[in-house]
C-alpha cells in the first residue's frame, strides 16, 4: 500500500512471491485487487492470484509472466437473490458447503500450494481460512479490507438462529491468525484483527478524458448523463423513457444482450472501462459497494443509491459518502416504479468534496508488506498456534465513539436554552434530562443546526422539514426495561418483576391536513403523479447509522386500507418485509394499523413522526417495546384517544406479534407503559394484570450488564423454545384429558390421593389449561413430568397432537424441538418469582440477599437448559459469582449476590443484584474491566430508573415566537 511519506523507500532486496487470495463476492473486491496486483507486478514481484473471479478480470489489466491465476473457491461471500437482496439463510448454507464441510482438505491443499510456490507472503481480500493456512506454514499474512465476514455473517445468524453461530466463531478465529490488517476507508467493525494499519482508497485510474469518452459514445458535451450500474448481478428491470428528466441520457452497465432499452438509454459494451464512464458522467444510480463508493468519491460523481438488504458493509460506506456530500438515497419503491426525477435533479445540487489520497494500490513504497515478511514486527506466532478471539460481534466503543456506560446527559446552558424556544402547552418535564436533551435536538432542527453530527446529516436534514413549527407537536416518552425475574415465562402466564430503565425512547408527532403537510421532495413528486394529495405517514428514526436501516420511511395511509377495511396483519407484515432496510418502520407505523383494526380509529390527517431512542438495540432491554409504546402514546395524545396503560401495552404487543412478526410476550410493553421509577412492576401475564408496584428496598440495587452478544426476540432459538413450551402445554392438556376419561370410567380416583370428585375437577381444569404457569411444580412432577419427552420432531408432534395452539409461532415439520426443558422452565420460574417477590419484603440481611441471588442463579441455569444461554452472559454471571465467593473466602460479607440472563436470552444483558453501596459499584466496574480483558468488549452498564409512559404522560409544545 502507498506509504504516508513523500519519498519512496528503497526497493526490496529481492523479488518476492505473493499468494493473493480474493473472495468471489462483489466486483469491488476484484477492482481493488487488480490495482494492487498491477503495482506489485510492476515492482518486479511474482503474484499468484487464487480466486473464483474470471481470469480475464486480471489479464485484461495486467499482462505479465509474473502474474499467475489459479481458479479456486474458498468462500462464497454473500448469496444474492437479486441485485438488491442478499439471502442470509442461503449465504450461511453456501458458506457451510464451501468452507466449513471441506475445511480440513482446504487447509491441506492450501498448505501444499503455498509450499509449492514458495510464498513469502499471503495477501487476503478477505478470505478467512487462508490466514490459518498461512500460519500453519509459518508464512506471514496480510488482509486488505473495509469489512470482514464475521461481522457481516453475525447479522445473518440473527435471521437463521444461533445454531449457525459456530460459522462466525470459526471465521473470526481464522482472521485472528492474520499478522496485519490493511484497513481501507469506510470500514466497519473488525474485532478479530489485532494489528491494524489504515491505508488510502484503492481506486482504478483513468485511461481517457471526459471528452474522448463522450465522443466515442456520441454524447454532446453539455448533455446530462446518468450511469446506471448495479454491479455484476443481472437485474432485468424494464426501464422506461419517462423515468429520466427531459434531455437526459442513461448509460446502462451490465445489460444483457436480450434486454431492450428506451431511446434515451444506451447499453454499454461488456468491456466498457467503468472509471472512464463515471468520470464522463454527471451522476450515478446504483447500490453502495466498495468499488462504486471509492470511484464516485475519487471522481467527485454524485451517487443516487438504492439500499441493499442484509449487507452490513453498506452503512459504513454510506457514512463515508455522506461525509463528503457525495450521495443521496432513493427509496426502493420509487426506484422500482420509476419516480427517479426528483432524486436525479437533487443529485446535481450536491458538491462532492473528497480530496483525499486514492493511491492505496501503489507499491512503489511497499515497505509495509515487506516488513510483514522480515522481522519488523514484535508479535511472533508459531505455526498453527491458536489465538483466542472475542466471542462477541457488536460495535466496540472505540469504533462507534460510544462510551462504555449508559448515562444521562448533564443539563448545560445549551439544553436549558431550549425552554426559551418552546412553549409547553401541556405536561411536565419531571426533571428528566433526556427529555430536556430531546427538546434541545428539536430546537436545533428548527434552527437548522445540523453540522454537529456528520454521520446523522441525512436523517437530521429529513427531520428538519418534517414538522410545521407553527403548530402543536406532541411528545411521548417510554423507557426500556430490565427483566429482574420472569423473562420468557411471560407468555406462559407467569408472575414477572420488571424495572423501567433510565434509557428511554422519545417520539415527537404532529398531525396535519394533507394540503398543509410538509412533504419530502420524493413524496410530493409521487403524490403529484398519483393525481392529488392524500394523507401520508412520514417517519424519521435517529440512530440509523448504528445499523443498516434507512433513516426515513413514508407511505400513504391508503396503503393500510383494503377497500373500506384495514388490511390484514399478514398483508401488513408482507408490506414491511418488502424492504428489510425499512422493516423497522413496522414498529412505528404498525401502531396506526393496530389502532385502526382493534379500535376502529379513522385517520384522515397526514402524520409526521420523529423517533429518537436511547435504548440500545439487541441488548435485551426492550428497545422495540419502548418504540411501540412511545409511538402509540404520542398518537393517543394527538388524537385524544383515552386508552388505559394496560390496554395500550396489549395493543403494542399486537404490533410486535402480528405486524412485525416477533413472538414476544407482553411484559416488555407493560413495563414500558406501566412502570414507575424506583419500583418493580409485579405483573401476572394472564394476559396482563398488574399485581402491584413493589418498592425496591433501599439497601439493595439492580444493575444491567450487556454481554455484547446481540439479542433478538425474532431469533431462531427464542421462537423454537416458545414452540417447545406450547408443545409441552398441549401434551399436558391431552394427558389430563385422558386421565379424566379414565377417572370417569373407573371407581377409584386416578393419580391422586384425594376424593374422586376433587381429583376429576383438578384434571378437568388441567385439560382446559390456558397458562402453563397455573400448574405448581409439585403437581407437574407428580402427574406429568415423566411423560414429557426431551425433544420431538415437528412432524411427529403434528401427527399425534394436531397443533400446539399458539397464534404467533409455526411448527416446522422438519425440525426437532426441545420440549422438556422449555416446559419445565415457566412452571418453576413462576414459583421462583413468587418467592422472590415475597423475599423482597423480608428483613435487610445478607441471608435475604443470598436467597434472592440464588433464585436468580437458578433462573439463569434454567435458561441455559432451554438452549437460551450464551458464552458472554455465562461469563458475566460467572464473574459475579467469583466476586461473591472471593469475598466470602476471605471472611467478609459480599456486595454482589446473584445474576441472571434476561428477557429472551441468547445474549443480551444480565441483571445483577447487590447491596446499595460504593463497594458493589466498584465491583461492577471491575467486572466490566475483566470482561473487556477477556473478550475485548466493554459491557454497557444500565444503572438508573425512570417513569413509564403512563406516569410521564405527554408534552404538547409549540415554537415560541420571539
Amino acid at each position: 500500500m502507498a506509504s504516508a511519506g513523500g519519498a519512496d523507500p528503497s526497493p526490496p532486496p529481492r523479488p518476492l512471491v505473493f499468494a493473493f487470495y480474493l473472495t468471489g463476492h462483489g466486483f469491488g473486491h476484484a477492482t481493488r485487487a487488480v490495482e494492487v496486483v498491477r503495482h506489485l507486478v510492476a515492482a518486479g514481484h511474482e503474484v499468484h492470484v487464487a480466486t473464483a473471479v474470471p481470469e480475464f478480470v486480471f489479464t485484461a489489466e495486467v499482462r505479465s509472466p509474473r502474474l499467475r491465476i489459479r481458479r479456486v473457491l474458498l468462500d462464497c461471500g454473500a448469496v444474492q437473490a437479486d441485485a438488491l437482496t442478499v439471502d442470509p439463510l442461503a449465504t450461511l448454507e453456501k458458506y457451510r458447503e464451501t468452507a466449513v464441510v471441506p475445511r480440513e482438505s482446504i487447509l491441506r491443499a492450501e498448505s501444499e500450494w503455498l509450499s509449492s510456490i514458495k510464498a513469502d507472503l499471503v495477501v487476503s481480500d478477505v478470505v478467512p481460512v487462508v490466514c490459518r493456512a498461512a500460519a500453519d506454514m509459518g508464512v506471514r499474512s496480510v488482509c486488505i479490507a473495509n469489512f470482514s465476514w464475521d461481522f457481516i455473517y453475525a447479522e445473518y445468524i440473527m435471521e437463521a438462529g444461533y445454531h449457525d453461530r459456530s460459522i462466525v466463531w470459526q471465521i473470526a478465529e481464522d482472521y485472528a491468525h492474520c499478522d496485519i490488517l490493511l484497513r481501507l476507508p469506510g470500514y466497519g467493525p473488525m474485532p478479530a484483527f489485532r494489528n491494524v494499519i489504515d491505508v488510502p482508497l484503492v481506486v482504478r485510474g483513468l485511461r481517457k478524458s471526459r471528452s474522448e469518452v463522450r465522443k466515442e459514445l456520441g454524447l454532446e458535451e453539455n448533455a446530462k448523463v446518468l450511469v446506471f450500474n448495479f454491479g455484476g448481478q443481472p437485474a432485468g428491470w424494464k426501464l422506461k423513457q419517462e423515468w429520466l428528466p427531459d434531455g437526459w441520457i442513461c448509460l446502462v452497465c451490465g445489460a444483457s444482450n436480450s434486454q431492450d432499452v428506451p431511446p434515451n438509454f444506451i447499453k454499454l459494451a461488456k468491456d466498457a472501462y467503468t472509471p472512464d464512464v463515471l468520470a464522463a458522467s454527471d451522476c450515478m444510480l446504483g447500490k453502495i459497494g466498495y468499488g462504486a463508493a471509492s470511484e464516485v468519491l475519487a471522481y467527485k460523481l454524485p451517487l443516487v443509491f438504492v439500499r441493499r438488504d442484509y449487507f452490513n458493509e453498506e452503512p459504513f460506506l454510506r457514512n463515508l459518502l455522506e461525509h463528503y456530500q457525495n450521495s443521496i438515497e432513493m427509496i426502493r419503491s420509487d426506484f422500482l416504479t420509476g419516480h427517479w426525477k426528483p432524486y436525479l435533479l437533487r443529485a446535481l445540487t450536491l458538491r462532492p468534496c473528497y480530496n483525499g489520497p486514492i493511491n492505496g494500490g501503489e507499491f512503489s513504497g511497499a515497505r509495509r508488506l515487506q516488513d510483514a515478511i522480515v522481522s519488523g514486527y514484535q508479535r511472533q506466532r508459531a505455526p498453527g498456534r491458536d489465538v483466542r478471539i472475542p466471542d462477541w460481534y457488536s460495535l466496540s466503543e472505540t469504533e462507534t465513539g460510544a462510551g462504555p456506560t449508559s448515562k444521562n446527559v448533564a443539563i448545560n446552558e445549551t439544553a436549558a436554552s431550549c425552554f426559551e424556544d418552546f412553549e409547553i402547552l401541556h405536561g411536565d418535564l419531571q426533571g428528566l434530562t433526556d427529555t430536556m436533551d430531546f427538546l434541545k435536538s428539536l430546537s436545533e432542527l428548527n434552527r437548522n443546526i445540523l453540522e454537529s453530527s456528520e454521520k446523522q446529516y441525512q436523517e437530521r436534514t429529513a427531520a428538519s422539514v418534517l414538522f410545521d413549527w407553527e403548530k402543536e407537536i406532541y411528545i411521548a416518552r417510554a423507557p426500556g426495561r430490565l427483566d429482574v425475574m420472569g423473562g420468557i415465562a411471560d407468555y406462559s402466564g407467569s408472575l414477572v418483576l420488571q424495572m423501567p430503565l433510565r434509557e428511554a425512547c422519545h417520539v415527537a408527532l404532529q398531525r396535519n391536513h394533507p394540503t398543509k403537510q410538509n412533504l419530502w421532495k420524493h413524496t410530493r413528486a409521487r403524490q403529484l403523479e398519483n393525481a392529488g394529495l392524500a394523507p401520508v405517514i412520514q417517519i424519521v428514526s435517529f440512530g440509523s447509522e448504528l445499523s443498516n436501516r434507512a433513516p426515513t420511511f413514508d407511505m400513504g395511509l391508503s396503503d393500510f386500507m383494503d377497500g373500506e377495511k384495514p388490511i390484514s396483519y399478514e398483508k401488513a407484515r408482507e408490506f414491511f418485509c418488502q424492504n428489510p432496510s425499512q422493516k423497522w418502520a413496522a414498529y412505528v407505523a404498525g401502531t396506526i394499523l393496530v389502532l385502526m383494526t382493534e379500535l376502529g380509529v379513522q385517520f384522515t390527517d397526514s402524520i409526521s413522526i420523529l423517533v429518537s431512542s436511547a435504548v440500545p438495540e439487541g441488548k435485551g432491554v426492550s428497545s422495540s417495546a419502548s418504540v411501540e409504546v412511545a409511538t402509540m402514546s404520542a398518537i393517543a395524545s394527538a388524537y385524544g384517544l383515552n386508552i388505559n396503560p394496560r390496554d395500550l401495552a396489549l395493543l403494542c404487543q399486537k404490533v410486535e406479534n402480528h405486524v412485525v412478526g416477533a413472538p414476544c410476550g407482553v411484559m416488555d410493553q407493560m413495563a414500558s407503559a406501566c412502570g414507575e421509577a424506583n419500583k418493580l412492576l409485579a405483573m401476572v401475564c394472564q394476559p396482563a394484570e398488574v399485581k402491584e408496584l413493589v418498592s425496591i428496598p433501599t439497601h439493595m440495587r439492580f444493575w444491567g450488564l450487556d454481554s455484547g452478544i446481540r439479542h433478538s426476540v425474532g431469533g431462531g432459538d427464542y421462537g423454537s423454545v416458545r414452540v417447545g413450551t406450547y408443545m409441552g402445554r398441549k401434551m399436558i392438556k391431552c394427558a389430563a384429558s385422558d386421565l379424566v376419561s379414565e377417572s370417569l370410567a373407573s371407581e377409584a380416583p386416578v393419580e391422586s390421593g384425594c376424593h374422586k370428585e376433587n381429583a376429576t375437577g383438578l384434571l378437568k381444569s388441567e385439560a382446559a389449561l390456558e397458562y402453563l404457569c397455573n400448574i405448581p411444580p409439585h403437581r407437574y412432577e407428580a402427574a406429568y413430568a415423566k411423560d414429557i419427552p426431551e425433544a420431538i420432531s415437528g412432524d411427529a408432534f403434528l401427527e399425534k397432537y394436531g397443533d400446539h395452539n399458539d397464534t404467533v409461532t409455526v411448527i416446522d415439520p422438519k425440525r426437532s424441538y426441545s420440549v422438556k426443558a422449555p416446559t419445565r422452565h415457566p412452571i418453576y420460574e413462576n414459583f421462583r418469582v413468587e418467592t422472590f417477590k415475597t423475599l423482597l419484603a423480608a428483613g435487610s440481611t445478607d441471608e435475604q440477599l443470598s436467597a434472592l441471588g440464588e433464585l436468580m442463579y437458578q433462573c439463569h441455569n434454567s435458561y441455559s437448559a432451554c438452549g437460551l444461554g450464551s458464552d458472554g452472559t455465562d461469563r458475566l454471571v460467572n464473574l459475579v459469582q467469583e466476586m461473591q465467593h472471593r469475598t466470602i473466602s476471605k471472611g467478609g460479607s459480599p456486595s454482589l449476590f446473584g445474576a441472571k440472563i434476561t428477557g429472551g436470552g441468547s445474549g443480551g444483558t444480565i441483571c445483577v443484584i447487590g447491596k446499595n453501596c460504593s463497594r458493589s459499584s466498584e465491583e461492577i466496574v471491575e467486572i466490566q474491566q475483566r470482561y473487556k480483558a477477556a473478550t475485548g468488549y466493554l459491557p454497557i452498564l444500565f444503572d438508573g430508573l425512570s417513569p413509564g409512559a403512563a406516569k410521564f404522560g405527554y408534552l404538547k409544545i409549540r415554537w415560541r415566537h420571539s
Side-chain angles (χ1 to χ4, degrees):
M1 292 293 164
S3 60
D8 289 341
S10 58
R14 65 174 178 83
L16 305 174
V17 177
F18 291 86
F20 200 123
Y21 289 90
L22 177 64
T23 182
H25 175 83
F27 193 59
H29 294 267
T31 59
R32 70 191 184 202
V34 168
E35 194 68 8
V36 173
V37 168
R38 185 168 65 84
H39 286 282
L40 276 174
V41 170
H45 302 296
E46 183 177 317
V47 182
H48 296 253
V49 178
T51 183
V53 172
E55 184 173 334
F56 74 84
V57 173
F58 289 88
T59 56
E61 300 289 324
V62 184
R63 296 178 176 85
S64 171
R66 292 190 297 276
L67 171 64
R68 314 282 177 85
I69 307 297
R70 170 183 170 232
R71 293 277 291 170
V72 63
L73 180 65
L74 301 178
D75 72 348
C76 67
V79 177
Q80 294 187 225
D82 55 48
L84 295 176
T85 307
V86 172
D87 187 330
L89 303 185
T91 296
L92 293 174
E93 184 59 33
K94 182 68 174 178
Y95 188 84
R96 185 183 297 280
E97 294 174 2
T98 305
V100 177
V101 174
R103 177 177 174 80
E104 294 304 319
S105 62
I106 289 174
L107 288 172
R108 285 194 301 271
E110 296 316 302
S111 296
E112 292 172 1
W113 183 65
L114 292 174
S115 176
S116 69
I117 66 172
K118 298 181 173 57
D120 293 301
L121 181 74
V122 168
V123 183
S124 177
D125 182 1
V126 61
V127 183
V129 69
V130 299
C131 300
R132 176 57 186 262
D136 287 346
M137 293 299 295
V139 178
R140 306 245 176 208
S141 62
V142 172
C143 282
I144 305 173
N146 62 300
F147 71 87
S148 56
W149 288 113
D150 50 345
F151 178 71
I152 301 296
Y153 288 172
E155 184 70 17
Y156 300 173
I157 287 173
M158 300 302 300
E159 196 74 11
Y162 282 89
H163 52 276
D164 281 320
R165 60 186 171 186
S166 60
I167 290 177
V168 172
W169 301 160
Q170 186 62 71
I171 291 173
E173 184 178 348
D174 287 341
Y175 283 144
H177 287 83
C178 174
D179 290 276
I180 289 184
L181 168 66
L182 299 180
R183 187 169 61 182
L184 294 162
Y187 60 83
M190 292 183 272
F193 294 96
R194 300 300 196 267
N195 298 320
V196 179
I197 297 175
D198 286 310
V199 296
L201 286 173
V202 178
V203 181
R204 293 178 293 176
L206 298 178
R207 297 174 180 173
K208 298 177 182 178
S209 68
R210 172 186 172 96
S211 298
E212 289 175 319
V213 174
R214 289 199 167 217
K215 184 176 181 180
E216 289 179 2
L217 294 173
L219 302 174
E220 297 180 2
E221 278 296 322
N222 61 349
K224 295 301 179 187
V225 178
L226 170 70
V227 177
F228 183 88
N229 187 1
F230 282 84
Q233 289 286 326
W237 293 305
K238 187 174 181 180
L239 305 171
K240 297 183 179 180
Q241 182 173 351
E242 62 269 21
W243 291 2
L244 297 180
D246 292 340
W248 281 55
I249 299 295
C250 180
L251 306 177
V252 183
C253 300
S256 65
N257 294 331
S258 60
Q259 183 176 359
D260 294 326
V261 297
N264 52 347
F265 288 73
I266 298 173
K267 291 197 293 186
L268 292 175
K270 294 289 186 183
D271 59 351
Y273 188 59
T274 307
D276 285 349
V277 174
L278 293 177
S281 302
D282 295 287
C283 69
M284 172 179 163
L285 173 57
K287 60 187 179 182
I288 294 181
Y290 178 83
S294 61
E295 289 175 352
V296 298
L297 283 168
Y299 302 121
K300 293 183 171 60
L301 183 72
L303 170 65
V304 179
F305 69 90
V306 183
R307 193 179 296 256
R308 283 190 288 179
D309 300 339
Y310 296 113
F311 201 70
N312 298 348
E313 173 193 20
E314 185 172 293
F316 304 97
L317 291 170
R318 186 178 75 240
N319 287 337
L320 180 68
L321 290 164
E322 290 173 356
H323 176 75
Y324 291 106
Q325 302 175 45
N326 224 118
S327 67
I328 59 172
E329 179 182 357
M330 180 184 291
I331 294 174
R332 183 182 300 193
S333 59
D334 286 345
F335 168 70
L336 295 175
T337 55
H339 298 288
W340 294 7
K341 296 177 184 177
Y343 299 96
L344 300 181
L345 297 175
R346 167 71 178 134
L348 295 185
T349 68
L350 296 178
R351 294 293 179 265
C353 57
Y354 180 78
N355 291 310
I358 58 174
N359 60 341
E362 294 182 10
F363 272 80
S364 56
R367 295 294 300 187
R368 285 174 178 159
L369 287 181
Q370 185 185 355
D371 287 345
I373 303 166
V374 296
S375 57
Y377 292 98
Q378 297 177 352
R379 184 163 173 237
Q380 302 292 323
R381 181 179 292 115
R385 173 186 165 193
D386 285 329
V387 177
R388 181 162 184 81
I389 53 97
D391 60 356
W392 49 272
Y393 291 90
S394 63
L395 307 184
S396 71
E397 73 275 10
T398 57
E399 288 168 304
T400 64
T405 62
S406 180
K407 57 192 177 185
N408 277 344
V409 180
I411 305 175
N412 52 37
E413 293 181 3
T414 307
S417 69
C418 71
F419 305 119
E420 300 176 4
D421 295 332
F422 291 108
E423 181 181 0
I424 299 179
L425 305 173
H426 175 89
D428 182 6
L429 296 174
Q430 302 182 26
L432 293 167
T433 54
D434 61 341
T435 303
M436 299 175 191
D437 199 52
F438 182 65
L439 287 179
K440 173 192 169 186
S441 70
L442 290 178
S443 175
E444 290 176 344
L445 290 176
N446 192 28
R447 295 179 181 275
N448 291 317
I449 304 174
L450 307 176
E451 68 274 13
S452 60
S453 184
E454 293 170 348
K455 288 185 177 182
Q456 300 172 350
Y457 180 80
Q458 182 181 2
E459 62 191 32
R460 291 188 176 273
T461 300
S464 68
V465 295
L466 188 63
F467 299 121
D468 180 347
W469 298 100
E470 301 295 320
K471 295 185 177 181
E472 293 88 356
I473 298 172
Y474 294 82
I475 296 173
R477 178 190 185 276
R481 67 94 188 96
L482 184 64
D483 166 36
V484 175
M485 288 293 287
I488 59 166
D490 64 341
Y491 55 72
S492 295
S494 178
L495 174 70
V496 298
L497 295 172
Q498 305 298 306
M499 187 176 83
L501 290 170
R502 171 188 297 165
E503 290 73 20
C505 172
H506 286 84
V507 168
L509 182 142
Q510 187 178 72
R511 51 184 292 195
N512 282 301
H513 190 275
T515 60
K516 298 180 179 180
Q517 171 74 12
N518 290 337
L519 295 176
W520 296 319
K521 290 182 178 179
H522 66 271
T523 309
R524 182 174 295 277
R526 190 188 314 131
Q527 289 228 338
L528 290 175
E529 289 193 14
N530 292 332
L533 295 175
V536 298
I537 305 168
Q538 293 187 134
I539 308 171
V540 176
S541 173
F542 283 173
S544 62
E545 78 280 359
L546 296 179
S547 60
N548 188 19
R549 69 168 190 261
T552 63
F553 174 84
D554 67 278
M555 62 179 290
L557 271 166
S558 60
D559 291 331
F560 274 157
M561 297 301 294
D562 184 3
E564 298 297 319
K565 297 180 180 180
I567 62 173
S568 67
Y569 290 142
E570 183 180 2
K571 287 184 178 179
R573 189 161 59 250
E574 293 173 357
F575 174 81
F576 287 109
C577 287
Q578 289 175 354
N579 185 354
S581 68
Q582 292 185 322
K583 187 177 178 180
W584 61 267
Y587 295 97
V588 184
T591 61
I592 296 173
L593 178 62
V594 167
L595 289 171
M596 294 167 62
T597 303
E598 305 298 329
L599 301 186
V601 180
Q602 296 184 357
F603 295 94
T604 56
D605 289 336
S606 291
I607 305 173
S608 298
I609 303 173
L610 172 63
V611 180
S612 177
S613 182
V615 186
E617 299 174 32
K619 308 302 183 185
V621 289
S622 300
S623 58
S624 59
S626 64
V627 170
E628 294 155 357
V629 171
T631 303
M632 191 170 288
S633 298
I635 294 171
S637 63
Y639 283 84
L641 305 177
N642 185 18
I643 308 174
N644 69 55
R646 173 189 178 274
D647 290 344
L648 188 139
L650 288 169
L651 290 169
C652 289
Q653 184 197 17
K654 288 184 180 293
V655 176
E656 189 138 3
N657 286 171
H658 302 303
V659 182
V660 177
C664 71
V666 74
M667 73 174 189
D668 296 358
Q669 290 81 6
M670 285 291 291
S672 187
C674 306
E676 292 186 15
N678 302 314
K679 294 180 180 180
L680 299 179
L681 178 73
M683 180 186 73
V684 178
C685 302
Q686 299 191 15
E689 309 305 327
V690 175
K691 199 167 185 179
E692 63 181 294
L693 288 158
V694 182
S695 295
I696 299 174
T698 57
H699 69 285
M700 72 176 63
R701 191 169 175 181
F702 297 100
W703 298 266
L705 283 173
D706 162 47
S707 66
I709 299 175
R710 186 176 175 85
H711 155 84
S712 172
V713 169
D717 286 350
Y718 179 92
S720 63
V721 169
R722 176 165 175 148
V723 169
T725 303
Y726 275 82
M727 284 178 165
R729 188 192 68 166
K730 184 65 174 284
M731 291 175 180
I732 289 173
K733 292 176 68 174
C734 290
S737 181
D738 291 342
L739 289 171
V740 168
S741 299
E742 293 177 23
S743 177
L744 294 175
S746 66
E747 292 296 328
V750 179
E751 296 278 344
S752 175
C754 60
H755 191 273
K756 177 179 178 180
E757 183 178 336
N758 294 336
T760 302
L762 176 61
L763 290 170
K764 285 182 177 179
S765 68
E766 291 168 351
L769 185 70
E770 185 173 3
Y771 295 103
L772 199 52
C773 289
N774 288 339
I775 296 182
H778 78 273
R779 177 64 182 165
Y780 168 73
E781 295 293 346
Y784 303 110
K786 64 181 182 299
D787 296 321
I788 302 295
E790 291 290 338
I792 190 172
S793 66
D795 55 0
F797 178 88
L798 291 170
E799 182 178 353
K800 185 173 182 179
Y801 296 100
D803 191 19
H804 65 328
N805 303 126
D806 181 21
T807 59
V808 297
T809 58
V810 177
I811 295 175
D812 182 352
K814 298 179 181 179
R815 184 168 185 175
S816 177
Y817 293 93
S818 174
V819 178
K820 199 176 194 71
T823 302
R824 188 179 190 274
H825 173 81
I827 294 171
Y828 277 83
E829 181 69 1
N830 185 57
F831 176 77
R832 285 189 289 264
V833 183
E834 292 277 9
T835 306
F836 194 99
K837 176 177 171 293
T838 301
L839 283 170
L840 285 173
S844 305
T845 64
D846 282 6
E847 288 75 13
Q848 175 212 28
L849 288 168
S850 295
L852 293 170
E854 174 60 27
L855 291 169
M856 295 178 77
Y857 287 141
Q858 289 181 18
C859 172
H860 180 80
N861 293 333
S862 185
Y863 263 75
S864 297
C866 292
L868 293 175
S870 75
D871 296 339
T873 49
D874 285 347
R875 183 187 295 276
L876 284 170
V877 171
N878 289 338
L879 286 171
V880 172
Q881 290 177 330
E882 287 179 25
M883 291 288 182
Q884 184 181 2
H885 297 153
R886 182 181 69 184
T887 305
I888 293 173
S889 66
K890 294 179 180 179
S893 174
S895 298
L896 303 180
F897 288 85
K900 61 176 281 288
I901 196 170
T902 64
S906 297
T909 296
I910 70 162
C911 177
V912 183
I913 186 173
K915 290 180 179 177
N916 188 12
C917 63
S918 59
R919 192 175 68 171
S920 61
S921 297
E922 292 169 359
E923 290 184 347
I924 289 290
V925 172
E926 183 179 343
I927 289 172
Q928 286 180 282
Q929 296 300 327
R930 289 177 62 181
Y931 188 85
K932 181 180 180 181
T935 69
Y937 178 78
L938 183 65
I940 294 174
L941 173 63
F942 298 99
D943 182 15
L945 300 88
S946 69
K951 202 70 176 176
F952 177 82
Y954 69 93
L955 299 179
K956 182 164 71 170
I957 65 171
R958 183 171 56 204
W959 190 259
R960 189 190 302 272
H961 293 283
S962 56

